[in-house]
Amino acid sequence: MNKQSEEEENHVISIGSLAIILKDKYQAIYTINDILIGLLFLLGTIFNMLLSWKITGAVLYIAGSVLLLIRPVIRTCHLLQVKRVGKEKRKKHA
């Protein structure tokens, strides 16, 4: 992969004079999802230890479980890409 196409795939978020460069947006989403899963399960455990917070703890466990189900969806979106292909390219693939 040449440098220009590599730069085109990067996502840049500018904040004032700083720039955050995401080299792989799917890996960033996957990592943020993992952090949220950890936080939800940690908070769910803490809240389940407190009698008055048991329902909130259960809700956090459910939310963490949903995020665990989202992980393979994120990975699948990263692996599969759907693009519109012109007629010339379709003939090459046929």
Side-chain angles (χ1 to χ4, degrees), residues 42-74:
L42 177 65
L43 290 173
T45 301
I46 293 168
F47 287 167
N48 270 334
M49 290 192 291
L50 305 170
L51 292 176
S52 60
W53 289 89
K54 286 223 181 258
I55 293 175
T56 305
V59 169
L60 290 171
Y61 279 135
I62 292 169
S65 298
V66 169
L67 289 177
L68 281 173
L69 290 172
I70 290 174
R71 290 178 82 196
V73 173
I74 295 169

mmCIF file of all heavy atoms in Angstrom, residues 42-74:
data_model
loop_
_atom_site.group_PDB
_atom_site.id
_atom_site.type_symbol
_atom_site.label_atom_id
_atom_site.label_comp_id
_atom_site.label_asym_id
_atom_site.label_seq_id
_atom_site.Cartn_x
_atom_site.Cartn_y
_atom_site.Cartn_z
ATOM 1 N N LEU A 42 -17.908 -3.846 35.712
ATOM 2 C CA LEU A 42 -17.355 -3.408 36.993
ATOM 3 C C LEU A 42 -18.404 -2.674 37.819
ATOM 4 O O LEU A 42 -18.615 -2.987 39.003
ATOM 5 C CB LEU A 42 -16.136 -2.505 36.766
ATOM 6 C CG LEU A 42 -15.507 -1.915 38.028
ATOM 7 C CD1 LEU A 42 -14.917 -3.026 38.889
ATOM 8 C CD2 LEU A 42 -14.445 -0.904 37.650
ATOM 9 N N LEU A 43 -19.095 -1.724 37.191
ATOM 10 C CA LEU A 43 -20.153 -1.000 37.901
ATOM 11 C C LEU A 43 -21.302 -1.928 38.286
ATOM 12 O O LEU A 43 -21.885 -1.797 39.367
ATOM 13 C CB LEU A 43 -20.666 0.165 37.053
ATOM 14 C CG LEU A 43 -19.702 1.328 36.870
ATOM 15 C CD1 LEU A 43 -20.267 2.331 35.869
ATOM 16 C CD2 LEU A 43 -19.417 2.003 38.207
ATOM 17 N N GLY A 44 -21.639 -2.860 37.409
ATOM 18 C CA GLY A 44 -22.700 -3.824 37.721
ATOM 19 C C GLY A 44 -22.346 -4.647 38.952
ATOM 20 O O GLY A 44 -23.203 -4.902 39.810
ATOM 21 N N THR A 45 -21.098 -5.058 39.068
ATOM 22 C CA THR A 45 -20.653 -5.825 40.229
ATOM 23 C C THR A 45 -20.743 -4.992 41.506
ATOM 24 O O THR A 45 -21.235 -5.451 42.543
ATOM 25 C CB THR A 45 -19.194 -6.298 40.019
ATOM 26 O OG1 THR A 45 -19.149 -7.097 38.841
ATOM 27 C CG2 THR A 45 -18.704 -7.113 41.201
ATOM 28 N N ILE A 46 -20.268 -3.761 41.427
ATOM 29 C CA ILE A 46 -20.318 -2.873 42.601
ATOM 30 C C ILE A 46 -21.760 -2.616 43.020
ATOM 31 O O ILE A 46 -22.112 -2.703 44.197
ATOM 32 C CB ILE A 46 -19.577 -1.551 42.309
ATOM 33 C CG1 ILE A 46 -18.079 -1.823 42.153
ATOM 34 C CG2 ILE A 46 -19.825 -0.521 43.412
ATOM 35 C CD1 ILE A 46 -17.292 -0.655 41.591
ATOM 36 N N PHE A 47 -22.618 -2.306 42.045
ATOM 37 C CA PHE A 47 -24.014 -2.009 42.372
ATOM 38 C C PHE A 47 -24.745 -3.234 42.912
ATOM 39 O O PHE A 47 -25.657 -3.100 43.721
ATOM 40 C CB PHE A 47 -24.752 -1.449 41.156
ATOM 41 C CG PHE A 47 -24.360 -0.028 40.811
ATOM 42 C CD1 PHE A 47 -24.729 0.524 39.597
ATOM 43 C CD2 PHE A 47 -23.613 0.760 41.678
ATOM 44 C CE1 PHE A 47 -24.383 1.817 39.262
ATOM 45 C CE2 PHE A 47 -23.259 2.057 41.356
ATOM 46 C CZ PHE A 47 -23.642 2.584 40.144
ATOM 47 N N ASN A 48 -24.382 -4.428 42.457
ATOM 48 C CA ASN A 48 -25.031 -5.638 42.985
ATOM 49 C C ASN A 48 -24.653 -5.902 44.438
ATOM 50 O O ASN A 48 -25.379 -6.585 45.149
ATOM 51 C CB ASN A 48 -24.695 -6.861 42.129
ATOM 52 C CG ASN A 48 -25.693 -7.052 41.016
ATOM 53 O OD1 ASN A 48 -26.835 -6.630 41.107
ATOM 54 N ND2 ASN A 48 -25.260 -7.689 39.955
ATOM 55 N N MET A 49 -23.523 -5.377 44.885
ATOM 56 C CA MET A 49 -23.131 -5.539 46.284
ATOM 57 C C MET A 49 -23.924 -4.616 47.201
ATOM 58 O O MET A 49 -24.018 -4.862 48.397
ATOM 59 C CB MET A 49 -21.623 -5.298 46.448
ATOM 60 C CG MET A 49 -20.796 -6.404 45.831
ATOM 61 S SD MET A 49 -19.066 -6.361 46.287
ATOM 62 C CE MET A 49 -18.485 -4.917 45.463
ATOM 63 N N LEU A 50 -24.493 -3.559 46.663
ATOM 64 C CA LEU A 50 -25.303 -2.631 47.446
ATOM 65 C C LEU A 50 -26.772 -3.011 47.282
ATOM 66 O O LEU A 50 -27.278 -3.093 46.168
ATOM 67 C CB LEU A 50 -25.072 -1.192 46.962
ATOM 68 C CG LEU A 50 -23.612 -0.722 46.946
ATOM 69 C CD1 LEU A 50 -23.511 0.611 46.214
ATOM 70 C CD2 LEU A 50 -23.074 -0.611 48.349
ATOM 71 N N LEU A 51 -27.461 -3.268 48.385
ATOM 72 C CA LEU A 51 -28.840 -3.760 48.321
ATOM 73 C C LEU A 51 -29.768 -2.833 47.542
ATOM 74 O O LEU A 51 -30.625 -3.289 46.787
ATOM 75 C CB LEU A 51 -29.375 -3.992 49.732
ATOM 76 C CG LEU A 51 -28.727 -5.147 50.499
ATOM 77 C CD1 LEU A 51 -29.273 -5.207 51.922
ATOM 78 C CD2 LEU A 51 -28.958 -6.454 49.788
ATOM 79 N N SER A 52 -29.627 -1.540 47.712
ATOM 80 C CA SER A 52 -30.560 -0.611 47.067
ATOM 81 C C SER A 52 -30.253 -0.404 45.577
ATOM 82 O O SER A 52 -31.044 0.221 44.875
ATOM 83 C CB SER A 52 -30.535 0.736 47.788
ATOM 84 O OG SER A 52 -29.241 1.292 47.737
ATOM 85 N N TRP A 53 -29.129 -0.915 45.074
ATOM 86 C CA TRP A 53 -28.732 -0.712 43.688
ATOM 87 C C TRP A 53 -28.768 -1.999 42.867
ATOM 88 O O TRP A 53 -28.218 -2.057 41.766
ATOM 89 C CB TRP A 53 -27.324 -0.129 43.637
ATOM 90 C CG TRP A 53 -27.251 1.293 44.092
ATOM 91 C CD1 TRP A 53 -27.058 1.718 45.357
ATOM 92 C CD2 TRP A 53 -27.395 2.456 43.295
ATOM 93 N NE1 TRP A 53 -27.049 3.085 45.413
ATOM 94 C CE2 TRP A 53 -27.255 3.574 44.138
ATOM 95 C CE3 TRP A 53 -27.617 2.668 41.937
ATOM 96 C CZ2 TRP A 53 -27.342 4.868 43.682
ATOM 97 C CZ3 TRP A 53 -27.693 3.977 41.484
ATOM 98 C CH2 TRP A 53 -27.560 5.057 42.344
ATOM 99 N N LYS A 54 -29.423 -3.048 43.348
ATOM 100 C CA LYS A 54 -29.413 -4.346 42.645
ATOM 101 C C LYS A 54 -30.021 -4.262 41.240
ATOM 102 O O LYS A 54 -29.499 -4.873 40.311
ATOM 103 C CB LYS A 54 -30.146 -5.397 43.481
ATOM 104 C CG LYS A 54 -29.348 -5.857 44.674
ATOM 105 C CD LYS A 54 -29.468 -7.346 44.797
ATOM 106 C CE LYS A 54 -28.700 -7.806 46.004
ATOM 107 N NZ LYS A 54 -27.426 -8.371 45.619
ATOM 108 N N ILE A 55 -31.109 -3.528 41.094
ATOM 109 C CA ILE A 55 -31.753 -3.430 39.775
ATOM 110 C C ILE A 55 -30.832 -2.697 38.804
ATOM 111 O O ILE A 55 -30.666 -3.111 37.646
ATOM 112 C CB ILE A 55 -33.120 -2.733 39.875
ATOM 113 C CG1 ILE A 55 -34.078 -3.627 40.655
ATOM 114 C CG2 ILE A 55 -33.679 -2.402 38.496
ATOM 115 C CD1 ILE A 55 -35.423 -3.016 40.939
ATOM 116 N N THR A 56 -30.194 -1.623 39.272
ATOM 117 C CA THR A 56 -29.256 -0.895 38.418
ATOM 118 C C THR A 56 -28.093 -1.798 38.016
ATOM 119 O O THR A 56 -27.642 -1.775 36.867
ATOM 120 C CB THR A 56 -28.720 0.353 39.146
ATOM 121 O OG1 THR A 56 -29.830 1.152 39.572
ATOM 122 C CG2 THR A 56 -27.826 1.180 38.243
ATOM 123 N N GLY A 57 -27.612 -2.612 38.949
ATOM 124 C CA GLY A 57 -26.538 -3.555 38.649
ATOM 125 C C GLY A 57 -26.947 -4.542 37.574
ATOM 126 O O GLY A 57 -26.173 -4.845 36.663
ATOM 127 N N ALA A 58 -28.184 -5.051 37.671
ATOM 128 C CA ALA A 58 -28.680 -5.997 36.669
ATOM 129 C C ALA A 58 -28.789 -5.330 35.295
ATOM 130 O O ALA A 58 -28.443 -5.938 34.267
ATOM 131 C CB ALA A 58 -30.034 -6.554 37.098
ATOM 132 N N VAL A 59 -29.236 -4.083 35.265
ATOM 133 C CA VAL A 59 -29.342 -3.349 33.994
ATOM 134 C C VAL A 59 -27.956 -3.158 33.376
ATOM 135 O O VAL A 59 -27.779 -3.307 32.161
ATOM 136 C CB VAL A 59 -30.040 -1.983 34.215
ATOM 137 C CG1 VAL A 59 -29.928 -1.097 32.975
ATOM 138 C CG2 VAL A 59 -31.500 -2.185 34.590
ATOM 139 N N LEU A 60 -26.955 -2.867 34.210
ATOM 140 C CA LEU A 60 -25.593 -2.706 33.698
ATOM 141 C C LEU A 60 -25.050 -4.018 33.146
ATOM 142 O O LEU A 60 -24.342 -4.035 32.129
ATOM 143 C CB LEU A 60 -24.676 -2.150 34.783
ATOM 144 C CG LEU A 60 -24.945 -0.692 35.173
ATOM 145 C CD1 LEU A 60 -24.132 -0.311 36.395
ATOM 146 C CD2 LEU A 60 -24.642 0.238 34.022
ATOM 147 N N TYR A 61 -25.373 -5.140 33.804
ATOM 148 C CA TYR A 61 -24.963 -6.448 33.273
ATOM 149 C C TYR A 61 -25.606 -6.713 31.917
ATOM 150 O O TYR A 61 -24.960 -7.229 30.999
ATOM 151 C CB TYR A 61 -25.341 -7.576 34.232
ATOM 152 C CG TYR A 61 -24.389 -7.764 35.378
ATOM 153 C CD1 TYR A 61 -24.869 -7.954 36.664
ATOM 154 C CD2 TYR A 61 -23.016 -7.776 35.191
ATOM 155 C CE1 TYR A 61 -24.006 -8.141 37.731
ATOM 156 C CE2 TYR A 61 -22.144 -7.954 36.247
ATOM 157 C CZ TYR A 61 -22.651 -8.144 37.515
ATOM 158 O OH TYR A 61 -21.792 -8.318 38.559
ATOM 159 N N ILE A 62 -26.867 -6.368 31.782
ATOM 160 C CA ILE A 62 -27.563 -6.561 30.503
ATOM 161 C C ILE A 62 -26.922 -5.688 29.425
ATOM 162 O O ILE A 62 -26.678 -6.147 28.303
ATOM 163 C CB ILE A 62 -29.071 -6.267 30.647
ATOM 164 C CG1 ILE A 62 -29.722 -7.336 31.525
ATOM 165 C CG2 ILE A 62 -29.749 -6.177 29.283
ATOM 166 C CD1 ILE A 62 -31.138 -7.011 31.958
ATOM 167 N N ALA A 63 -26.614 -4.431 29.752
ATOM 168 C CA ALA A 63 -25.980 -3.528 28.784
ATOM 169 C C ALA A 63 -24.600 -4.064 28.385
ATOM 170 O O ALA A 63 -24.233 -4.033 27.198
ATOM 171 C CB ALA A 63 -25.858 -2.125 29.367
ATOM 172 N N GLY A 64 -23.848 -4.579 29.357
ATOM 173 C CA GLY A 64 -22.542 -5.168 29.047
ATOM 174 C C GLY A 64 -22.670 -6.378 28.142
ATOM 175 O O GLY A 64 -21.861 -6.589 27.226
ATOM 176 N N SER A 65 -23.692 -7.173 28.372
ATOM 177 C CA SER A 65 -23.923 -8.355 27.536
ATOM 178 C C SER A 65 -24.282 -7.957 26.105
ATOM 179 O O SER A 65 -23.842 -8.600 25.138
ATOM 180 C CB SER A 65 -25.041 -9.208 28.133
ATOM 181 O OG SER A 65 -24.656 -9.672 29.403
ATOM 182 N N VAL A 66 -25.064 -6.898 25.946
ATOM 183 C CA VAL A 66 -25.405 -6.411 24.606
ATOM 184 C C VAL A 66 -24.137 -5.959 23.879
ATOM 185 O O VAL A 66 -23.939 -6.255 22.697
ATOM 186 C CB VAL A 66 -26.443 -5.267 24.681
ATOM 187 C CG1 VAL A 66 -26.605 -4.571 23.345
ATOM 188 C CG2 VAL A 66 -27.789 -5.797 25.164
ATOM 189 N N LEU A 67 -23.252 -5.248 24.606
ATOM 190 C CA LEU A 67 -21.999 -4.816 23.989
ATOM 191 C C LEU A 67 -21.122 -6.003 23.602
ATOM 192 O O LEU A 67 -20.405 -5.952 22.601
ATOM 193 C CB LEU A 67 -21.241 -3.873 24.915
ATOM 194 C CG LEU A 67 -21.854 -2.477 25.075
ATOM 195 C CD1 LEU A 67 -21.056 -1.655 26.075
ATOM 196 C CD2 LEU A 67 -21.942 -1.760 23.748
ATOM 197 N N LEU A 68 -21.177 -7.078 24.401
ATOM 198 C CA LEU A 68 -20.436 -8.289 24.025
ATOM 199 C C LEU A 68 -20.982 -8.880 22.728
ATOM 200 O O LEU A 68 -20.229 -9.427 21.922
ATOM 201 C CB LEU A 68 -20.494 -9.330 25.142
ATOM 202 C CG LEU A 68 -19.554 -9.101 26.315
ATOM 203 C CD1 LEU A 68 -19.838 -10.112 27.430
ATOM 204 C CD2 LEU A 68 -18.106 -9.208 25.880
ATOM 205 N N LEU A 69 -22.279 -8.764 22.522
ATOM 206 C CA LEU A 69 -22.873 -9.251 21.275
ATOM 207 C C LEU A 69 -22.504 -8.363 20.088
ATOM 208 O O LEU A 69 -22.460 -8.827 18.949
ATOM 209 C CB LEU A 69 -24.394 -9.325 21.413
ATOM 210 C CG LEU A 69 -24.924 -10.404 22.343
ATOM 211 C CD1 LEU A 69 -26.425 -10.243 22.545
ATOM 212 C CD2 LEU A 69 -24.611 -11.778 21.788
ATOM 213 N N ILE A 70 -22.235 -7.091 20.350
ATOM 214 C CA ILE A 70 -21.880 -6.159 19.279
ATOM 215 C C ILE A 70 -20.461 -6.401 18.771
ATOM 216 O O ILE A 70 -20.149 -6.117 17.612
ATOM 217 C CB ILE A 70 -22.067 -4.703 19.761
ATOM 218 C CG1 ILE A 70 -23.559 -4.413 19.923
ATOM 219 C CG2 ILE A 70 -21.441 -3.697 18.811
ATOM 220 C CD1 ILE A 70 -23.852 -3.067 20.535
ATOM 221 N N ARG A 71 -19.587 -6.962 19.610
ATOM 222 C CA ARG A 71 -18.189 -7.184 19.220
ATOM 223 C C ARG A 71 -18.049 -7.941 17.901
ATOM 224 O O ARG A 71 -17.323 -7.502 17.004
ATOM 225 C CB ARG A 71 -17.437 -7.925 20.327
ATOM 226 C CG ARG A 71 -17.213 -7.091 21.554
ATOM 227 C CD ARG A 71 -16.532 -7.876 22.616
ATOM 228 N NE ARG A 71 -15.096 -7.869 22.301
ATOM 229 C CZ ARG A 71 -14.227 -8.692 22.835
ATOM 230 N NH1 ARG A 71 -14.614 -9.598 23.699
ATOM 231 N NH2 ARG A 71 -12.967 -8.617 22.514
ATOM 232 N N PRO A 72 -18.728 -9.089 17.728
ATOM 233 C CA PRO A 72 -18.565 -9.792 16.440
ATOM 234 C C PRO A 72 -19.150 -9.008 15.268
ATOM 235 O O PRO A 72 -18.679 -9.152 14.139
ATOM 236 C CB PRO A 72 -19.295 -11.121 16.649
ATOM 237 C CG PRO A 72 -20.097 -10.974 17.880
ATOM 238 C CD PRO A 72 -19.515 -9.864 18.674
ATOM 239 N N VAL A 73 -20.138 -8.160 15.528
ATOM 240 C CA VAL A 73 -20.696 -7.329 14.451
ATOM 241 C C VAL A 73 -19.647 -6.326 13.984
ATOM 242 O O VAL A 73 -19.461 -6.122 12.773
ATOM 243 C CB VAL A 73 -21.983 -6.611 14.926
ATOM 244 C CG1 VAL A 73 -22.470 -5.620 13.891
ATOM 245 C CG2 VAL A 73 -23.062 -7.619 15.261
ATOM 246 N N ILE A 74 -18.945 -5.706 14.937
ATOM 247 C CA ILE A 74 -17.887 -4.755 14.589
ATOM 248 C C ILE A 74 -16.792 -5.460 13.784
ATOM 249 O O ILE A 74 -16.345 -4.957 12.753
ATOM 250 C CB ILE A 74 -17.283 -4.113 15.854
ATOM 251 C CG1 ILE A 74 -18.334 -3.262 16.571
ATOM 252 C CG2 ILE A 74 -16.062 -3.258 15.501
ATOM 253 C CD1 ILE A 74 -17.902 -2.806 17.950
#
